[in-house]
DNA sequence: CGAGATGTTCGGCT
DNA sequence: AAGCCGAACATCTC
């Protein structure tokens, strides 16, 4: 479920636990969520630690605790962060549960495509420092984006927008939104796009990301009604721009929603 | 009952 | 060799 703005929203759900100690922990250490790490060590390190601050970057989140402890969380397809009452009793999909005096911080993920990582270091962990430039940063530039498109020129543009090394935080609905706003045919190889279209992709990526942050990222409110966003979920919807019935097809294994009139293969 | 779901990763192929 | 593609992952809902 979560892309850039949803991730930012969920990160802030745990803000109610800032500056407070973890009094107890419950986790499902054998679950896929914890693949590749030692849950006992995480548990030992976080018990009694204080949540100091947090940040989000694309679809990644990082929570900083006292004792040089860093908890990384990816929400996968169905992950959520929740804040529940102190006496909360975890259900079967509540894979990491951090009890505090005033509330209980919960990572819930039924499908378990999400992931927990854990690091001990004074500074931010190395994997975090290596993340690509955020969409809102000056380092996310047109030349960089253009070079990225060039390096994937044989792949359909829809698939390329989903690659996190070039477009960190973009997910399925945002990719479709960008292409619909830019009036670009989603199946086309990105090497065939002219300079104006490539520039439009860059501009719309920033615009969609910024606007999503101000609505979904702020309070989970809907982005503008003029977007494809609110129309794409129900099948048989007309294009909000030209009223032509929207099309659905599969690109790179993902459902893609697009307008056959606005997003033509040629032109 | 089968299909599909707002994501990533791996392995095989070119 | 880099990059493209399909399958797999685990569970729930329509």
């Amino acid at each position: 479920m979560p892309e850039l703005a949803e991730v930012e929203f969920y990160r802030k759900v745990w803000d109610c636990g800032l500056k407070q100690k973890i009094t107890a922990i419950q986790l499902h250490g054998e679950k896929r969520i914890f693949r590749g790490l030692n849950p006992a060590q995480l548990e030992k390190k976080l018990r009694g630690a204080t949540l100091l601050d947090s940040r989000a970057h694309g679809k990644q989140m990082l929570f900083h605790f006292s004792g040089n402890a860093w908890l990384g969380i990816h929400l996968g397809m169905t992950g959520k962060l929740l804040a529940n009452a102190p006496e909360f009793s975890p259900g079967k999909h509540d894979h990491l549960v951090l009890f505090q005096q005033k509330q209980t911080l919960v990572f819930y993920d039924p499908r378990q495509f999400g992931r927990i990582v854990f690091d001990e270091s004074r500074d931010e962990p190395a994997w975090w420092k290596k993340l690509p430039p955020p969409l809102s940063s000056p380092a996310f530039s047109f030349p960089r984006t253009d070079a990225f498109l060039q390096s994937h020129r044989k792949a359909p543009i829809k698939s390329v927008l989903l690659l996190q090394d070039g477009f960190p935080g973009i997910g399925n609905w945002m990719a479709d939104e960008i292409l619909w706003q830019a009036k670009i045919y989603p199946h086309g190889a990105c090497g065939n796009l002219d300079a104006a279209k490539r520039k439009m992709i860059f501009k719309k990526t920033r615009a969609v990301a910024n606007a999503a942050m101000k609505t979904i990222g702020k309070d989970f409110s809907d982005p503008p009604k003029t977007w494809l966003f609110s129309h794409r979920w129900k099948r048989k919807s007309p294009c909000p721009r030209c009223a032509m019935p929207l099309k659905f097809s599969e690109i790179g294994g993902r459902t893609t929603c697009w307008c056959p009139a606005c997003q033509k293969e040629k032109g």
Side-chain angles (χ1 to χ4, degrees), chain A residues 7-8 76 91 125 171 185 253:
Chain A
V7 169
E8 172 63 5
Y185 180 65

Side-chain angles (χ1 to χ4, degrees), chain A residues 14 17 20-27 43 46-51 65 82-91 94-107:
Chain A
W14 277 13
Q20 295 164 55
K21 251 187 206 176
I22 307 300
T23 56
I25 298 176
Q26 283 187 40
L27 53 77
E43 201 172 349
L46 287 189
R47 187 177 296 111
T50 299
L51 176 56
F65 292 84
L82 306 160
N84 283 316
E87 63 277 10
F88 176 71
S89 155
D94 299 318
H95 303 305
L96 179 64
V97 181
L98 308 176
F99 292 93
Q100 294 182 315
Q101 196 167 13
K102 292 184 183 163
Q103 64 276 313
T104 304
L105 308 178
V106 179
F107 170 43

Side-chain angles (χ1 to χ4, degrees), chain A residues 7 27 32-33 36-37 40 43 48 52 69 93 137 171 200 228:
Chain A
V7 169
L27 53 77
R32 179 185 157 84
I33 291 294
L37 75 74
E43 201 172 349
L52 298 176
H93 301 310
S137 72
M200 190 58 80
L228 178 64

Side-chain angles (χ1 to χ4, degrees), chain A residues 12 21 37 39 42 50 59 77 84 96 112 134 144 151-152 164 180 198 208 218 221 242 259-261:
Chain A
K12 289 188 290 190
K21 251 187 206 176
L37 75 74
L42 178 157
T50 299
K59 297 175 189 171
M77 196 85 99
N84 283 316
L96 179 64
Q112 299 182 66
R144 184 184 192 281
S151 68
H152 296 281
Q164 300 299 294
W180 178 81
R198 301 196 306 270
V208 167
K218 183 164 165 267
S221 55
C242 78
C259 173

Side-chain angles (χ1 to χ4, degrees), chain A residues 17 34 37 45 51 61 81 84 87 168 175 188 195 211 216 241 253 255 257:
Chain A
F34 292 95
L37 75 74
K45 197 69 189 167
L51 176 56
M61 293 180 288
L81 298 190
N84 283 316
E87 63 277 10
I216 298 169
R241 190 164 44 206
T255 297
C257 174

Side-chain angles (χ1 to χ4, degrees), chain A residues 56-169:
Chain A
H57 183 140
K59 297 175 189 171
Q60 310 280 345
M61 293 180 288
L62 188 63
F63 295 88
H64 182 204
F65 292 84
S66 60
N68 299 323
W70 302 86
L71 179 71
I73 299 183
H74 192 293
L75 296 172
M77 196 85 99
T78 52
K80 285 182 164 93
L81 298 190
L82 306 160
N84 283 316
E87 63 277 10
F88 176 71
S89 155
K92 69 171 170 176
H93 301 310
D94 299 318
H95 303 305
L96 179 64
V97 181
L98 308 176
F99 292 93
Q100 294 182 315
Q101 196 167 13
K102 292 184 183 163
Q103 64 276 313
T104 304
L105 308 178
V106 179
F107 170 43
Y108 162 93
D109 185 6
R111 227 170 139 187
Q112 299 182 66
F113 289 177
R115 184 165 206 164
I116 303 265
V117 295
F118 186 68
D119 290 272
E120 293 183 58
S121 53
R122 189 173 176 284
D123 216 356
E124 288 173 343
W127 65 267
W128 183 268
K129 293 181 186 167
K130 282 190 307 203
L131 293 173
L135 303 182
S136 59
S137 72
F140 177 76
S141 62
F142 178 64
R144 184 184 192 281
T145 302
D146 210 29
F148 187 79
L149 295 180
Q150 175 62 16
S151 68
H152 296 281
R153 58 192 169 283
K154 296 280 181 53
I157 181 58
K158 163 64 187 276
S159 299
V160 177
L161 280 167
L162 294 175
L163 297 173
Q164 300 299 294
D165 284 345
F167 299 93

